[in-house]
Amino acid sequence: MYAPVKKGNIYSFQHVEKPSEIAFDYTRTMLPPKKFFVRPKDEMLRLKGGKWEESNGVEPIVLFGVHSCDIHGLEILDKVYLDEPVDPYYKKRRENSIIIGMSCMPDEYCFCKSLGTDFAMHGFDLFLHELPDGWLVRVGSVKGHEIAWENEELFEELTEEDMRNFREFEEKRANSFKKHLNKEGLEDMLDLAFNSPVWKKYEKICLGCGNCNMVCPTCRCYEVCDLWMNAYEAVRVRRYDSCFMESHGLVAGGHNFRPTRLDRFRHRYYCKSYFDPSAGFNCVGCGRCDEFCPAKIEHVKVLDEVREGLQ
Amino acid sequence: MTFQTHDARILEVKELTSREKLFTLRFVDPELNRSFKYKPGQFVIVDIRGFGEFPISLCSTPTREGYFQLCVRRVGRMTKYMHKLKEGDIVGIRGPYGNGFPMEKMEGSTLVLVAGGLGMAPLRSVLWYALDTGKYEKIYLFYGTKAYEDILFRDEVIHLLKHGEDMNCHVKLAYEVETPSCIYLEKGYSPRVCKGVVTDLFRGETFDVENTYALICGPPVMYKYVIKELLDRKLSPGRIYMTLERRMRCGVGKCGHCIVGTSTSIKYVCKDGPVFTYWDALSTRGLI
């Protein structure tokens, strides 16, 4: 079982043995739960005797305490990785995991409410909502039903009071958001703002480190390379890549399709704000890119400035 | 499995130029060899085991079965390894990927193939396909190269230059660097062979815009100028097809390296392309 654990000032999903290790009131982990499905460094194939063999199997895991925005993030990854042709590694890991969601209170970085990802209707097995005297549990899958069925003694019937408390909590939560993204016509607005001076302003501030890509629950670019383990064995490994790296847009012969930091900075905003009619935006408003940006660039502020520049 | 490659044996290695080699391959598994179908314009991922993978377009035609060909230019680490391989060596292949050119839709029309440098490789697949099936009214090949020594598939191109007219295939060649061989060619086939760039070959050419498709492949800088020539001749953007290049790692729309476009239109070059029309380029920023 993996759950949020506090280490220094940072929360992260770690292997836990007992409830006391879990940080129930965490805001956000540095790396989103995607790290369990799209690994930062992931062995795909192993070369033995001149033949590729599939790498070892997958251990079943329980992910406890996943916030609603991260559940939405995983659903966006599902769209890509489970689409034909299915990514076998991702699929196996998704099938072998149990997702237990947990309610949260937003901090100054969260803007998930603006994107409609502050509440999860699916994408989890169980979802725990905090109440004054326990948890209200929503069941989101067959697997979730089975868990509830097998552990009947842990559950009590829902009362009117529980529902009232749940509503109060959700209301309080909805009113606690400090950041709002104006998503009205966002994708069209950005399309018009390709030459906005705001991009040029931020190009100078951005360090091009790619941190925002690493911590983003929906960023999924990866690079592949082969590594020799010894004279007879090699592995094919994929690892996170970042569209902020110059090599990302490079092709044979040295031509680069996104040669400047301006191109790369803008590209990320376009990719995150792309609106898919069936899946929504590619951003879930978790606030990680803001919190972990060493240059203190704020996602919502950039988009607001671009919008203002158009008016 | 999605990322497992299949053994293919190199049947022949032919040196095309000092930088490009032509590899003729066949799958070791005879069943796979029979079932391997592809369209001109599609690409495969080549796997040099223990060294890595790279995408490359198929330059042979599906009308000739039992083998397939890849034209590989030595530009980086992976292609350098590929160039060291010899007849009988095994590489891994997965694919074919991408959409390919809509050959059936274009049947009965005139095809204008515009190739620049290495762009000749994917268009050779179209050229052979069109010649083999004979289902196209007329074929033009406008080919721009740096020098005589850089002409890919030189014997084929020169053969078509000489005898192509009998097959309704009109070849025109532009070169940039003057060498004795070029001058000899120019003397024999002027004005179809000239010093200049590929757009110079359009001079004096008109097409029946209702019945013509243009297919372009070349270095990124070429598209803008070639497309201008075609639009000047009133060819509709929907009749202009081009095949594009990106650093595709997975080939199946996962790894994100080939994502282009803006917030309203995002395309994966590997699965939405690599063949796009000029309409796509107009509605998807960053495509060309």
Side-chain angles (χ1 to χ4, degrees):
Chain A
M1 178 155 124
Y2 293 85
V5 170
K6 192 170 188 183
K7 278 189 174 178
N9 290 325
I10 299 292
Y11 296 98
S12 60
F13 282 101
Q14 298 290 341
H15 185 255
V16 289
E17 297 282 344
K18 44 187 190 292
S20 60
E21 293 172 61
I22 302 172
F24 285 94
D25 58 345
Y26 84 108
T27 47
R28 68 178 64 72
T29 55
M30 187 190 254
L31 283 186
K34 79 169 173 187
K35 74 171 180 180
F36 294 103
F37 307 104
V38 187
R39 311 296 290 269
K41 197 174 161 196
D42 192 6
E43 185 182 315
M44 302 165 80
L45 302 164
R46 190 167 272 264
L47 188 68
K48 277 183 187 163
K51 288 254 180 263
W52 286 118
E53 286 174 11
E54 289 293 334
S55 286
N56 294 333
V58 175
E59 246 180 280
I61 59 163
V62 176
L63 263 186
F64 179 86
V66 186
H67 287 168
S68 168
C69 58
D70 282 342
I71 289 175
H72 280 272
L74 284 177
E75 288 200 298
I76 291 172
L77 293 184
D78 284 353
K79 272 257 159 208
V80 175
Y81 281 99
L82 300 182
D83 196 13
E84 277 301 320
V86 172
D87 184 279
Y89 313 101
Y90 183 86
K91 184 168 179 257
K92 227 189 287 173
R93 287 179 189 138
R94 276 298 255 157
E95 284 171 350
N96 276 291
S97 64
I98 292 170
I99 308 274
I100 299 179
M102 189 165 74
S103 60
C104 52
M105 279 308 251
D107 69 354
E108 70 268 33
Y109 298 110
C110 297
F111 58 100
C112 54
K113 189 169 174 258
S114 320
L115 289 158
T117 53
D118 57 329
F119 197 83
M121 298 295 279
H122 33 71
F124 56 85
D125 299 298
L126 294 175
F127 203 107
L128 311 182
H129 292 273
E130 198 179 343
L131 297 178
D133 57 347
W135 302 88
L136 182 146
V137 182
R138 280 191 297 139
V139 179
S141 71
V142 174
K143 234 190 264 174
H145 273 294
E146 281 169 2
I147 297 168
W149 185 272
E150 283 163 20
N151 299 282
E152 212 181 345
E153 69 281 4
L154 295 174
F155 295 87
E156 281 172 28
E157 275 300 317
L158 192 71
T159 64
E160 272 300 312
E161 198 195 348
D162 292 335
M163 277 310 283
R164 205 169 43 244
N165 284 328
F166 170 63
R167 271 198 296 272
E168 265 171 31
F169 182 91
E170 285 302 309
E171 222 165 281
K172 190 177 149 208
R173 183 168 180 266
N175 293 327
S176 313
F177 283 94
K178 294 185 186 79
K179 215 171 238 189
H180 300 278
L181 171 70
N182 180 2
K183 67 166 184 181
E184 202 183 323
L186 180 66
E187 68 278 20
D188 293 316
M189 183 279 288
L190 280 179
D191 207 20
L192 291 171
F194 191 80
N195 295 317
S196 166
V198 177
W199 303 126
K200 291 187 190 81
K201 172 187 155 188
Y202 278 101
E203 173 207 15
K204 292 187 183 79
I205 301 170
C206 174
L207 303 170
C209 65
N211 234 9
C212 48
N213 293 129
M214 301 299 118
V215 300
C216 177
T218 66
C219 270
R220 53 185 182 263
C221 284
Y222 69 76
E223 179 74 357
V224 188
C225 60
D226 288 4
L227 302 170
W228 285 95
M229 312 305 287
N230 53 52
Y232 310 100
E233 259 184 293
V235 286
R236 176 154 296 159
V237 177
R238 63 181 178 190
R239 58 168 174 78
Y240 288 177
D241 198 0
S242 156
C243 55
F244 275 96
M245 301 297 118
E246 214 179 330
S247 57
H248 193 273
L250 205 65
V251 295
H255 180 78
N256 200 324
F257 285 91
R258 279 188 277 276
T260 64
R261 187 168 300 166
L262 174 74
D263 295 317
R264 301 194 282 271
F265 184 83
R266 187 167 45 196
H267 171 70
R268 178 163 191 277
Y269 278 82
Y270 279 131
C271 190
K272 291 295 116 186
S273 307
Y274 170 64
F275 186 77
D276 183 333
S278 65
F281 289 101
N282 264 336
C283 170
V284 293
C286 68
R288 283 188 179 90
C289 50
D290 290 10
E291 186 177 349
F292 300 109
C293 176
K296 300 270 169 264
I297 294 172
E298 294 172 49
H299 194 90
V300 173
K301 201 164 158 240
V302 172
L303 293 174
D304 282 348
E305 281 181 35
V306 171
R307 191 186 285 268
E308 274 165 34
L310 271 185
Q311 283 156 3
Chain B
M1 286 302 238
T2 314
F3 300 110
Q4 271 281 14
T5 53
H6 305 283
D7 284 358
R9 192 178 299 281
I10 297 174
L11 300 178
E12 193 191 7
V13 184
K14 197 176 155 195
E15 209 153 309
L16 292 177
T17 73
S18 58
R19 288 189 297 173
E20 283 103 1
K21 281 186 179 178
L22 179 69
F23 293 86
T24 307
L25 298 123
R26 180 193 286 164
F27 286 107
V28 172
D29 175 8
E31 182 46 45
L32 190 61
N33 224 23
R34 265 192 296 277
S35 61
F36 185 71
K37 297 270 181 292
Y38 61 95
K39 287 191 262 179
Q42 285 194 302
F43 66 95
V44 291
I45 302 256
V46 178
D47 164 24
I48 316 268
R49 274 145 202 194
F51 296 97
E53 289 186 323
F54 63 95
I56 195 139
S57 57
L58 288 147
C59 69
S60 51
T61 160
T63 49
R64 305 194 183 184
E65 288 173 0
Y67 70 95
F68 57 95
Q69 290 176 314
L70 308 171
C71 170
V72 182
R73 174 182 283 184
R74 195 182 65 243
V75 276
R77 198 174 61 92
M78 289 304 310
T79 44
K80 197 172 142 193
Y81 280 117
M82 183 83 182
H83 268 234
K84 284 184 183 161
L85 298 180
K86 296 191 173 50
E87 280 164 34
D89 285 344
I90 300 264
V91 293
I93 298 285
R94 59 186 174 92
Y97 296 126
N99 55 357
F101 289 103
M103 297 310 296
E104 276 157 29
K105 186 181 146 191
M106 298 189 290
E107 275 174 18
S109 305
T110 296
L111 304 182
V112 182
L113 312 179
V114 189
L118 196 52
M120 186 60 208
L123 291 184
R124 176 187 181 242
S125 182
V126 178
L127 179 69
W128 275 29
Y129 182 93
L131 290 173
D132 280 358
T133 55
K135 287 180 177 166
Y136 303 86
E137 194 174 285
K138 230 181 203 179
I139 307 155
Y140 289 94
L141 171 66
F142 297 167
Y143 184 16
T145 63
K146 192 130 254 159
Y148 180 85
E149 289 68 29
D150 293 323
I151 303 174
L152 290 176
F153 312 104
R154 203 183 304 144
D155 41 355
E156 292 169 20
V157 171
I158 292 175
H159 178 83
L160 285 173
L161 198 60
K162 284 179 186 161
H163 309 291
E165 305 285 332
D166 311 335
M167 295 175 266
N168 257 337
C169 178
H170 309 276
V171 177
K172 292 178 94 176
L173 199 65
Y175 59 90
E176 286 177 49
V177 181
E178 226 164 82
T179 53
S181 312
C182 281
I183 294 163
Y184 164 76
L185 265 187
E186 194 175 338
K187 263 189 192 149
Y189 301 100
S190 178
R192 288 197 287 136
V193 177
C194 70
K195 185 171 187 299
V197 289
V198 75
T199 43
D200 294 331
L201 301 175
F202 283 84
R203 217 174 291 141
E205 296 286 353
T206 50
F207 310 112
D208 171 14
V209 291
E210 296 298 313
N211 197 34
T212 300
Y213 286 94
L215 298 85
I216 319 170
C217 188
V221 61
M222 196 187 88
Y223 291 98
K224 200 170 83 183
Y225 299 103
V226 171
I227 285 167
K228 191 184 170 297
E229 292 288 340
L230 293 166
L231 294 177
D232 283 351
R233 283 165 180 74
K234 303 280 180 279
L235 199 67
S236 141
R239 289 177 169 269
I240 302 174
Y241 286 93
M242 49 206 176
T243 167
L244 305 177
E245 182 191 12
R246 286 295 184 281
R247 174 175 275 194
M248 300 147 185
R249 278 289 177 254
C250 67
V252 289
K254 316 271 185 223
C255 80
H257 282 96
C258 66
I259 289 182
V260 284
T262 64
S263 43
T264 51
S265 163
I266 272 191
K267 294 250 161 48
Y268 287 88
V269 172
C270 69
K271 61 172 195 181
D272 297 322
V275 175
F276 291 98
T277 66
Y278 186 52
W279 278 133
D280 294 323
L282 288 174
S283 60
T284 310
R285 222 186 268 263
L287 206 58
I288 51 169

